[in-house]
Amino acid sequence: GRRPPGRRPFSPVFRHEGAAMVDISAFQRNAAAMRDGEWLSPGVQYPGIEFKCRALGHEYLDAFARNTKIQARLVGGEEYLSAEQKARINIDALIETALLDVKGIEERGVPVTLARIAEMMRDPAYAELTGMVFNCASRVGRLLAADFEDAAKNSEPVSTRT
């Protein structure tokens, strides 16, 4: 179809008759990446680190509910679960359903295995690591390589900015 006036090819937001509009395609996610996983960086502040994650979808919610029921039975009801227990259930569901692989993290010069990452995520001292994985899993399927390529083609070089 024809692109409305003022819309940049890589941006789902455009102006039409003076009002900001959002193209419906902005809400569509890559179903294959959500199901099979996608390599994502947790951010520019962590150069070289990537996690392969699935989206936080039905499997994640099912694992969270199942693990909550199991733990609730052990303590006499869900209302008796502590915040720490609920956080552990949440992390276990993330590890079980979303985290598939890791690259770019070493421990004493040796690449860290997925099993070691899972162990570290269960340790409160590594809350930042857990947050990085949640960040990646929440973004799976949202950003497509083609979007970045279009953005790069349509952006001015950094050296020309003032």
Side-chain angles (χ1 to χ4, degrees):
R2 216 177 102 140
R3 183 180 312 132
R7 179 172 177 213
R8 296 175 67 166
F10 67 92
S11 174
V13 179
F14 59 93
R15 296 197 85 53
H16 181 66
E17 297 178 5
M21 305 283 288
V22 177
D23 189 284
I24 191 71
S25 67
F27 305 109
Q28 184 177 5
R29 293 177 72 179
N30 180 331
M34 293 172 65
R35 179 188 62 245
D36 302 330
E38 177 177 27
W39 284 103
L40 290 168
S41 166
V44 295
Q45 66 273 36
Y46 307 103
I49 297 176
E50 289 188 346
F51 296 98
K52 185 173 184 182
C53 295
R54 286 189 194 105
L56 298 175
H58 296 117
E59 294 84 7
Y60 166 78
L61 296 172
D62 289 344
F64 181 83
R66 181 181 60 251
N67 295 342
T68 298
K69 280 183 185 177
I70 291 168
Q71 293 303 311
R73 276 191 223 123
L74 296 174
V75 297
E78 192 173 335
E79 64 273 16
Y80 298 111
L81 288 172
S82 69
E84 181 182 350
Q85 289 169 309
K86 290 176 185 178
R88 194 172 324 118
I89 291 166
N90 199 15
I91 292 166
D92 286 343
L94 173 70
I95 293 167
E96 179 184 330
T97 64
L99 181 60
L100 301 174
D101 207 349
V102 61
K103 58 185 170 185
I105 300 178
E106 295 181 346
E107 187 173 32
R108 295 182 197 96
V110 177
V112 176
T113 65
L114 188 59
R116 178 69 176 130
I117 289 291
E119 178 186 328
M120 294 165 86
M121 288 172 62
R122 290 181 176 103
D123 181 343
Y126 290 95
E128 185 172 356
L129 175 66
T130 303
M132 290 164 49
V133 176
F134 267 114
N135 173 298
C136 289
S138 69
R139 293 184 293 121
V140 171
R142 290 190 177 170
L143 304 174
L144 303 175
D147 293 335
F148 286 117
E149 290 170 14
D150 284 346
K153 289 176 193 170
N154 292 303
S155 297
E156 54 182 81
V158 174
S159 61
T160 62
R161 294 184 194 153
T162 56

